[in-house]
């Protein structure tokens, strides 16, 4: 306080100390505060020493601000962008599956998932929310309430399969913390009809049948929507101050698949199988209908079946597509191929007489039997009466190479390459393991195992003029706009027999129905040909006398074959009937008859029907 | 002085106005979410601002000499409330620190009051000691005691940021007044490391923050989350900013966006321009505060002006340093801008004192023509008539 020029200091006056006076005249009371001429140089220096560093710090901070705002701007902006944008998946509807005439067999319906965000839903609202939702969604209230207490999750699904209108009602409640998500539900409006062809799809895609085989095409491509969100991950509302430009990539629906399956025909086939199940109590049954000109499968039915709307509740064995996955020894239906091969190789003439040894023939160490004793039969009659001994003699003349060819040319032992999953190739022993014994067994349909599909496909080739066609189930594939991407074209695998042989086989097989083992397949409206089979099942290494597979493979009309129908019946109750001609032939006839009607193939005229009937009766009485 | 006074008022007003706008912009989302009304914080801040204006008026009208005379009362009051807040039942504990009084829905932070009370008290004490201040027993020792007790009490809350700020400001005032701080050196040599060690061991949060800061480890989802979000906000604002109200940090990304981290939001919405304007505003306040201190008529005025100026400037600097990750997180708000009741009121009271001092020019500058001579009683006319 060494002021060089001290100003005169006013002395405080005692009586002057009212606040009003101080406010009016503050300096009057500054006696204690030293001279009023300002602070001295030393104080000013020290002031500078304390204040200037603060200003320097400010300059340093402005430098730092500049670094963050300018130099590091881009990287921070990128982080900001990343943390506030989120994308939401927009599910794509799965493509529909249709029948041959465009009937809807499988479709996807828009549904809503109702979920609760447990971070937003208030604890005191849970009870009421559960009550209201239980009422609207028809779910158990306690179950809902319990889900809301799952502590380890933030989002819990309350209901998965809610109709949009119901969801709308829930949305009107405006409960904070209850949200919706789009989804699609796969529906099979016809229930179990055609279930083994269609298969089924779960939430994560196709599991069986066409749903699995065409998964990539049916699935569609999900879209997405980006949006801005706040730190609690909620999407920003569109209003308000915050600019909001969502980016939307629309989902692409799956392709539209049309099958060759004819729902009406499928229905007939399934009805017939149900009747068989009822009448003969078998373990299972298969019906297959093929268009012999294209290889298209018009009906494929298995029993037991299941409802693809509830696949989880079905026994997995019931979901098996037995027509493709199960093999059986075909038995007598197989004789046809040996005879056809023998004709094709011109080793036999049709009217060649074959000694059928009166029903029992000792050859090497075994004795072959026929169900009825026959003496001399022509080649045709071997088929008509299904003589084992006759077939074995044809086999012996063909030799190992010939019989083996008859197996392979017709496609046995190899997959048919149908567009359905799970197909097996059947069992054909390698040629070097064949013995002379095989020459007796294979012609009567033993020692080889085939799938129903292989058998039906081979019959189609035999009657259609000799072209083995790949069986197909996909008629047409189009995109959602209706543009066609694929359409069925018949695919010939190979020519198995000549057209002449094919005609000969048709005649032979018609005689089976007119006068042989397949008489129950006869019908007045259409000419039907076919062959029965009654195969003993191999149980524990020997042929069972209790368990059979009865089958019938028929075709119609004989003059210009259109359909092949195979019916196999697995282990019918022996007391009720087990011959293929008994258990399978009537069903096959019915399927063919109604199938041809449905395809508008003109039946015989009334007059021709009467004539045919008379001839049928005459032949039966004569035979 | 007149210029300084006018500028101080204008800059203060501008910062307050900007602060009000930004508090609303920063808080409407969180207010809507927590209280259901977007203007919750804005409304309160307006009320505080009104109270602050009254405090400013009181501070600027009530002669600072009268304030300085009662330094014993101010220091005593500061110590009293700082002790009271430590008593369980009176002080409210939030996040492990007793820093608040609660009266109904109002909270009051005694350390905010203590800051200005200590400035008043220390200035009042130091200005009357004269040459004694340079001695050890009558200068340094009482000074250390008078400044040390409140600082220690604030540190005990614990509120180390405010304690450091208060200690720095009080030391600077004592240094300017003439106390020889060299006496503190041997003491600091022993006490400072001991105190630091104690803080390190006892106060987990301090260690966490310091460790986190000094290791330079980036832990954007853990303890570093807030600062990380602050940097994202500022950095993405760029030079010009996203525009008022257009920021994203307030969408619950940046906690305390309307409070300690409001500068980050300003940086995002108003860009580097906005942040620098704030910085410039505070620089302006410090500059004019310095002018007032230099030209004060007496040591008391000078010390008061210095105390208030440093308190403002240093607090702003610390806050900006934290928000720009130049310093570990401290829990210090940005004066005049951040949301907060007691802080705003006492800050404005301080600025009122600054204006008060500015209203007293040194004697030479007093307008003699109208002054002492005319009155004829030897007293100068009130400087405010100038």
């Amino acid at each position: 306080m060494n002021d060089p020029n001290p100003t005169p200091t006013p002395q405080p006056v005692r009586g002057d100390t009212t606040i009003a006076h101080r406010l009016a005249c503050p300096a009057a009371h500054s006696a204690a505060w030293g001279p009023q001429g300002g602070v001295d140089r030393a104080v000013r220096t020290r002031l500078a020493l304390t204040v200037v560093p603060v200003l320097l710090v400010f300059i340093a901070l402005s430098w730092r601000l500049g670094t963050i705002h300018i130099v590091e701007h881009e990287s921070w902006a990128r982080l900001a962008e990343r943390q506030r944008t989120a994308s939401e998946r927009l599910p794509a509807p799965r493509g529909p599956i249709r029948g041959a005439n465009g009937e809807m067999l499988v479709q996807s319906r828009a549904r809503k998932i109702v979920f609760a965000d447990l971070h937003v839903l208030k604890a005191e609202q849970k009870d009421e929310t559960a009550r209201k939702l239980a009422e609207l969604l028809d779910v158990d209230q306690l179950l809902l309430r319990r889900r809301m207490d799952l502590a380890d999750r933030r989002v819990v699904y309350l209901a998965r399969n809610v109709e949009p209108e119901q969801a709308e009602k829930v949305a009107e409640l405006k409960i904070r913390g209850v949200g919706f998500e789009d989804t699609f539900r796969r529906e099979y409006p016809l229930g179990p009809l055609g279930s083994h062809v269609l298969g089924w799809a779960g939430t994560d895609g196709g599991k069986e049948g066409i749903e699995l085989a065409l998964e990539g095409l049916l699935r569609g491509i999900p879209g997405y929507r980006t949006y801005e969100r706040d730190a609690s991950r909620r999407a920003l509302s569109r209003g308000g101050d915050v600019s909001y430009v969502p980016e939307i990539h629309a989902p692409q629906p799956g392709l539209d698949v049309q099958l060759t399956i004819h729902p009406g025909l499928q229905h007939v086939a399934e009805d017939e199988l149900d009747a068989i199940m009822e009448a003969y109590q078998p373990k299972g049954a298969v019906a297959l209908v093929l268009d012999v000109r294209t290889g298209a499968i018009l009906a494929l039915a298995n029993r037991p079946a299941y409802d693809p709307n509830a696949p989880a509740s079905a026994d997995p064995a019931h979901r098996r597509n037995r027509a493709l996955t199960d093999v059986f020894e075909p038995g007598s239906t197989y004789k046809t191929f040996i005879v056809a091969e023998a004709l094709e190789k011109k080793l036999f003439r049709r009217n060649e007489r074959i000694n059928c040894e009166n029903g029992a023939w000792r050859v090497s160490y075994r004795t072959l039997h026929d169900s009825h004793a026959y003496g001399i039969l022509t080649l045709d009659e071997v088929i008509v009466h299904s003589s084992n001994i006759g077939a074995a003699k044809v086999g012996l003349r063909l030799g190992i190479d010939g019989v083996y060819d008859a197996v392979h040319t017709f496609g046995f032992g190899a997959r048919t390459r149908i567009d359905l999953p799970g197909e097996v190739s059947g069992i054909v022993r390698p040629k070097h393991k064949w013995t002379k014994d095989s020459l007796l067994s294979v012609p009567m349909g033993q020692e080889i195992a085939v799938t129903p599909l292989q058998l039906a496909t081979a019959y189609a080739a035999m009657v259609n003029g000799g072209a083995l066609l790949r069986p197909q189930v996909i008629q047409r594939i189009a995109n959602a706009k209706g543009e066609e991407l694929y359409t069925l074209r018949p695919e010939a695998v190979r020519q198995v027999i000549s057209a002449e042989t094919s005609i000969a086989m048709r005649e032979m097989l018609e005689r089976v129905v007119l006068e042989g083992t397949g008489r129950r397949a006869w019908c007045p409206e259409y000419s039907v040909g076919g062959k029965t089979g009654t195969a003993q099942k191999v149980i524990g290494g020997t042929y069972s006398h209790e368990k059979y597979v009865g089958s019938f493979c028929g075709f119609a009309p004989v003059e210009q074959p259109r359909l092949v129908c195979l019916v196999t019946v697995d282990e019918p109750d022996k007391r009720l009937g087990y011959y293929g001609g008994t258990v399978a032939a009537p069903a096959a006839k019915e399927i063919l008859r109604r199938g041809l009607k449905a395809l508008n193939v003109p039946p015989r005229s009334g007059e021709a029907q009467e004539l045919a009937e008379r001839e049928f009766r005459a032949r039966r009485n004569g035979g | 002085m007149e210029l300084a006074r006018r500028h101080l008022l204008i800059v203060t007003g501008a910062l307050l106005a900007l602060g009000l706008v930004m508090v609303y912009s920063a808080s409407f989302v969180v207010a809507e979410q927590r209280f259901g009304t977007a203007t919750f914080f804005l409304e309160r801040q307006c009320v505080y601002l009104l109270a602050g204006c009254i405090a400013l008026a009181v501070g600027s009208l009530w002669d600072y000499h009268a304030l300085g005379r009662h330094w014993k009362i101010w220091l005593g009051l500061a110590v009293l409330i700082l002790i009271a807040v430590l008593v369980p039942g009176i002080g409210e504990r939030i996040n492990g620190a007793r820093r608040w009084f609660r009266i109904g829905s109002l909270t009051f932070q005694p350390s905010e009051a203590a800051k200005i009370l200590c400035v008043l008290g220390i200035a009042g004490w130091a200005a009357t000691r004269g040459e004694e201040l340079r001695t050890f027993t009558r200068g340094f020792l009482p000074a250390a005691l008078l400044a040390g007790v409140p600082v220690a009490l604030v540190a005990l809350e614990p509120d180390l940021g405010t304690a450091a700020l208060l200690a720095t400001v009080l030391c600077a005032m004592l240094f300017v007044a003439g106390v020889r701080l060299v006496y503190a050196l041997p003491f600091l040599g022993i006490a400072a490391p001991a105190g630091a060690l104690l803080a390190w061991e006892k106060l987990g949060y301090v260690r966490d923050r310091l460790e986190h800061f000094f290791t330079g480890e980036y832990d954007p989802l853990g303890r570093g989350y807030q600062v990380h979000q602050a940097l994202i906000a500022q950095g993405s604002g760029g030079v010009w900013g996203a525009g008022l109200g257009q920021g994203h940090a307030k969408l619950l990304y940046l906690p305390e966006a309307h409070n300690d981290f409001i500068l980050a939001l300003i940086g995002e919405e108003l860009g580097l321009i906005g942040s620098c304007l704030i910085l410039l505003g505070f620089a302006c306040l410090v500059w004019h505060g310095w002018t007032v201190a230099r030209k004060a008529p007496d040591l008391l005025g000078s010390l008061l002006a210095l105390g208030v100026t440093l308190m403002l400037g240093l607090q702003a600097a610390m806050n900006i340093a934290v928000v720009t990750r130049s310093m570990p997180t401290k829990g210090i708000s940005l004066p005049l801008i951040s949301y907060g009741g007691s802080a705003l009121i006492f800050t404005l009271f301080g600025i009122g004192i600054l204006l008060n001092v500015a209203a007293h020019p040194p004697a030479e500058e007093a307008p003699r023509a109208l002054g002492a001579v005319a009155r004829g009683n030897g007293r100068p006319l009130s400087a405010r008539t100038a």
Side-chain angles (χ1 to χ4, degrees), chain B residues 1-17 56 60 280-295 301 304-306 308-310 312-313 336 347-360:
Chain B
M1 286 292 270
E2 183 53 36
L3 189 73
R5 209 150 64 95
R6 198 176 298 152
H7 281 187
L8 278 172
L9 256 177
I10 291 169
V11 172
T12 303
L15 287 176
L16 284 172
L56 183 130
S60 61
L280 197 68
F282 281 105
C284 202
L285 287 184
V286 170
W287 180 269
H288 290 300
W290 182 22
T291 310
V292 173
R294 267 188 298 131
K295 297 190 175 172
L304 281 174
L306 176 73
V308 170
T309 303
L310 282 187
L312 265 174
L336 301 175
T347 304
L348 284 175
F349 182 61
I351 290 174
I353 292 171
L354 196 56
L355 294 172
N356 189 334
V357 176
H360 293 75

Side-chain angles (χ1 to χ4, degrees), chain B residues 17-324:
Chain B
L18 187 62
L20 204 60
V21 172
M22 295 320 290
V23 161
Y24 179 58
S25 177
S27 70
F28 71 82
V29 173
V30 71
E32 176 78 46
Q33 200 204 24
R34 255 194 254 164
F35 303 103
T37 49
T39 53
F40 181 87
F41 290 106
L42 178 69
E43 284 165 24
R44 271 152 201 260
Q45 187 74 346
C46 284
V47 173
Y48 295 141
L49 190 56
L50 212 66
C53 287
I54 295 168
L56 183 130
V58 170
S60 61
L61 292 176
W62 194 351
D63 180 16
Y64 70 87
H65 296 102
L67 284 171
R69 185 203 300 248
H70 302 299
W71 62 269
K72 284 177 189 160
I73 297 176
W74 308 136
L75 279 179
L77 198 61
V79 170
L80 191 74
I81 57 172
L82 287 175
I83 288 174
V85 81
L86 292 176
V87 177
I90 303 175
E92 180 103 351
R93 181 186 276 269
I94 300 176
N95 298 333
R98 290 188 189 281
R99 297 181 186 173
W100 289 270
F101 290 128
R102 176 181 284 279
I103 306 145
S105 67
L106 291 174
T107 54
F108 168 70
Q109 208 173 340
S111 57
E112 290 297 337
K115 281 194 295 194
I116 194 71
L117 288 173
C118 288
V119 167
L120 274 172
I122 292 296
W125 173 76
T128 49
R129 295 305 107 175
E131 285 300 307
E132 285 178 6
L133 280 177
R134 305 198 70 82
T135 66
F136 181 74
T137 46
R138 314 236 18 209
F140 177 79
L141 222 49
L145 198 71
L146 292 173
V149 169
V151 168
L153 287 171
V154 172
L156 277 176
E157 284 181 0
D159 185 351
L160 294 191
T162 307
L165 174 67
L166 188 60
T168 312
V169 171
L170 297 184
C171 282
M173 287 170 70
L174 290 169
F175 166 70
V176 170
V179 173
R180 301 188 59 164
L181 294 181
V182 284
Y183 291 131
L185 283 180
F187 171 75
L188 280 177
I190 304 161
L197 199 68
L198 193 77
W200 184 266
E201 286 299 321
K202 291 283 173 195
L203 301 169
Y205 85 100
V206 178
R207 181 170 42 188
D208 280 355
R209 285 179 179 179
L210 288 179
E211 258 177 357
H212 169 245
F213 183 78
F214 284 114
T215 54
E217 260 176 48
Y218 227 47
D219 180 17
L221 294 175
R223 289 180 203 104
Y225 176 79
Q226 202 174 16
V227 175
H228 180 67
Q229 290 296 335
L231 290 177
I232 286 181
Q234 295 174 84
S236 60
V239 175
W240 302 101
L244 192 62
Q246 305 288 307
H248 285 88
K250 63 188 166 211
L251 299 167
L252 314 178
Y253 286 107
L254 178 62
E256 302 289 317
H258 58 292
N259 213 320
D260 294 358
F261 280 80
I262 195 159
L263 187 82
L265 194 93
I266 293 171
E268 188 186 18
E269 299 196 344
L270 306 180
L272 182 63
I273 303 296
S275 291
C276 282
L277 273 178
I278 300 276
L279 201 58
L280 197 68
F282 281 105
C284 202
L285 287 184
V286 170
W287 180 269
H288 290 300
W290 182 22
T291 310
V292 173
R294 267 188 298 131
K295 297 190 175 172
D298 48 30
L299 186 61
L300 176 67
S302 185
L303 288 180
L304 281 174
L306 176 73
V308 170
T309 303
L310 282 187
M311 199 65 88
L312 265 174
L314 273 178
Q315 190 173 338
M318 281 170 86
N319 177 275
I320 297 171
V322 166
V323 175
T324 55

Side-chain angles (χ1 to χ4, degrees), chain A residues 118-187:
Chain A
L118 299 182
H119 287 196
V120 181
L121 185 66
K122 289 198 176 95
E124 63 269 19
Q125 279 196 336
K126 285 183 180 174
D127 282 326
E128 208 195 332
T129 305
R131 190 180 56 74
K132 283 182 182 166
L133 292 189
E135 204 174 289
L136 280 175
L137 302 177
D138 195 27
V139 214
D140 184 42
Q141 182 178 342
L142 276 175
L143 203 81
L144 281 184
R145 184 66 188 82
R146 221 172 297 144
R147 290 202 72 98
M148 290 178 194
D149 284 335
L150 291 175
D152 55 334
R153 270 181 281 176
R154 174 168 178 174
V155 170
V156 290
Y157 283 171
L158 300 177
R160 274 175 181 276
N161 189 17
V162 180
E163 306 264 353
E165 305 86 62
Q166 270 179 303
E168 194 61 39
K169 280 182 199 159
V170 174
E172 276 165 22
L173 296 176
K174 291 197 170 134
I175 304 168
R176 267 178 70 95
V178 172
F180 305 92
E181 215 174 88
D182 284 326
T183 184
F184 289 93
R185 180 180 162 78
R186 203 65 169 155
E187 280 185 359

Side-chain angles (χ1 to χ4, degrees), chain A residues 506-580:
Chain A
R506 281 185 225 159
E507 287 168 9
M508 230 181 270
L509 292 170
E510 188 182 17
R511 280 187 67 192
V512 174
V513 171
L514 286 172
E515 57 195 79
T517 51
R519 277 194 294 266
R520 289 185 197 218
W522 185 86
C523 77
E525 291 102 321
Y526 298 100
S527 52
V528 176
K531 179 76 191 80
T532 58
T534 309
Q536 291 164 280
K537 288 184 85 170
V538 178
I539 305 292
T542 56
Y543 285 99
S544 163
H545 289 283
E546 297 299 322
K547 297 183 173 174
Y548 295 86
V549 178
S551 58
F552 180 82
C553 195
F555 69 97
V558 173
E559 303 75 37
Q560 197 177 7
R562 181 73 192 273
L563 297 180
V564 157
C565 173
L566 170 69
V567 174
T568 70
V569 182
D570 185 18
E571 285 185 35
D573 188 331
K574 197 183 175 187
R575 289 161 299 173
L576 301 171
Y578 64 100
Y579 284 111

Side-chain angles (χ1 to χ4, degrees), chain A residues 184-234:
Chain A
F184 289 93
R185 180 180 162 78
R186 203 65 169 155
E187 280 185 359
Y188 303 84
L190 301 182
L193 193 85
S195 55
H196 292 101
V197 176
L198 302 175
W200 58 280
T203 47
D204 53 347
K207 296 293 174 210
E208 284 174 14
I210 280 292
E211 292 269 40
L212 173 60
L214 298 187
E215 170 65 15
L217 303 178
L218 286 168
R219 189 173 48 211
I221 302 163
Y224 64 90
R225 182 175 74 91
T226 62
Y227 59 93
E228 294 194 326
R229 63 181 183 192
D230 68 14
S232 62
R233 296 179 174 274
R234 280 198 316 227

Side-chain angles (χ1 to χ4, degrees), chain A residues 15-52:
Chain A
D16 256 4
T17 50
T18 60
I19 295 229
H21 184 75
R22 281 182 211 164
L23 284 175
C25 192
H29 302 279
S30 50
W33 311 110
Q36 295 290 299
V39 290
D40 60 29
R41 183 181 291 275
V43 171
R44 290 184 186 201
T45 311
R46 290 200 291 266
L47 273 174
L49 280 174
T50 56
V51 176
V52 170

